Every structure is written in structure tokens, then in C-alpha cells.
Amino acid sequence: MLPIMKNCFRSVLIFSLFLMIPIMPVHGQETSSVPSKPALYDFGLGRCPSCKEMERILTAIRNRYGSQLEIRLLYADKEKELFEKYKIVAVPTQVFLDASGKEVDRHIGPLPESSLIKKLNDLNFISN
């Protein structure tokens, strides 16, 4: 098996095991994550090569369009509640939310920068 496939397989396996752990809400903890402008949530794992590539792409997008769009990089070990809320089954996954917090689109897997910009334009999340 190729090394990159082995790493991705390992990441998916670890994430699958993570999903089996029951998640208990913490009393009094604020769980609201409704954005005030359109948002892109990228769900990933720290060691996943595709997730690292998406992190690089999203940093560039944030630098260019950050005033128009909220971008959040979410990792399984830190954002368990949001992974469960959005029913994330594979990483990386990008979830597109309108300004009211409603999910309007989703993409599973890495997304090239040009395709991501096109999708954000098509959703009217950004303007050039």
C-alpha cells in the first residue's frame, strides 16, 4: 500500500473509532456556533495529509476573503460536539453555512483552491 494511502486509511480508522466514543454535553457550556456571515467549516484531523493541504488552502482563502466569509478549521480531537452535530463521517469535509447558520452545501474530500473559490462565488458567499 502506498504511504499516503496508508496514512489516510489510518486517519479514517482513528476517526471511526473516535465516533464510537459517547459524547456527553457539559452542563452550562455554550454550544451556539451560528455565524454572523456566511461560513465555511472545514472538518479534519491533524495528521491527515489531505487535511493539511486544505488548511493551507483555507488560510489563503481567509487572507483574501476573510472580511466576507468566516472560515473555521475544526479538528476531531478539539471539536467533538460539532463533528457530531454536522454528522461528519470522513475528513476532510467542508460544510458551507449561510449567514443564518443553515447548511447550504457540503463537500467531502480535498477541494482545490480554484474549485473552492468558484463554489464560494456560486453560493454568493464572496465577491471578487
Side-chain angles (χ1 to χ4, degrees), residues 79-115:
E79 301 287 348
K80 296 174 188 174
E81 191 171 290
L82 287 175
F83 270 73
E84 185 176 274
K85 176 182 178 180
Y86 289 100
K87 298 175 177 41
I88 303 302
V89 296
V91 293
T93 294
Q94 300 83 42
V95 175
F96 300 84
L97 307 169
D98 66 13
S100 71
K102 178 184 172 200
E103 182 176 336
V104 294
D105 203 355
R106 173 181 292 230
H107 179 268
I108 298 174
L111 194 58
E113 186 172 349
S114 59
S115 298

Side-chain angles (χ1 to χ4, degrees), residues 10-118:
R10 187 177 303 136
S11 295
V12 169
L13 179 63
I14 290 168
F15 183 68
S16 298
L17 292 173
F18 162 78
L19 288 177
M20 291 185 213
I21 299 171
I23 299 172
M24 303 297 292
V26 177
H27 180 68
Q29 182 180 20
E30 183 61 41
T31 59
S32 176
S33 60
V34 177
S36 59
K37 55 186 172 182
L40 167 55
Y41 289 1
D42 182 71
F43 293 88
L45 292 172
R47 294 184 305 253
C48 166
S50 297
C51 300
K52 289 289 190 185
E53 178 63 16
M54 283 307 303
E55 183 177 332
R56 184 192 65 71
I57 290 168
L58 290 169
T59 298
I61 299 283
R62 182 186 291 142
N63 290 339
R64 188 168 171 194
Y65 299 104
S67 64
Q68 301 174 53
L69 171 73
E70 176 186 345
I71 295 178
R72 290 186 62 189
L73 301 170
L74 305 164
Y75 297 101
D77 60 335
K78 296 178 184 174
E79 301 287 348
K80 296 174 188 174
E81 191 171 290
L82 287 175
F83 270 73
E84 185 176 274
K85 176 182 178 180
Y86 289 100
K87 298 175 177 41
I88 303 302
V89 296
V91 293
T93 294
Q94 300 83 42
V95 175
F96 300 84
L97 307 169
D98 66 13
S100 71
K102 178 184 172 200
E103 182 176 336
V104 294
D105 203 355
R106 173 181 292 230
H107 179 268
I108 298 174
L111 194 58
E113 186 172 349
S114 59
S115 298
L116 180 55
I117 290 172
K118 180 179 180 340

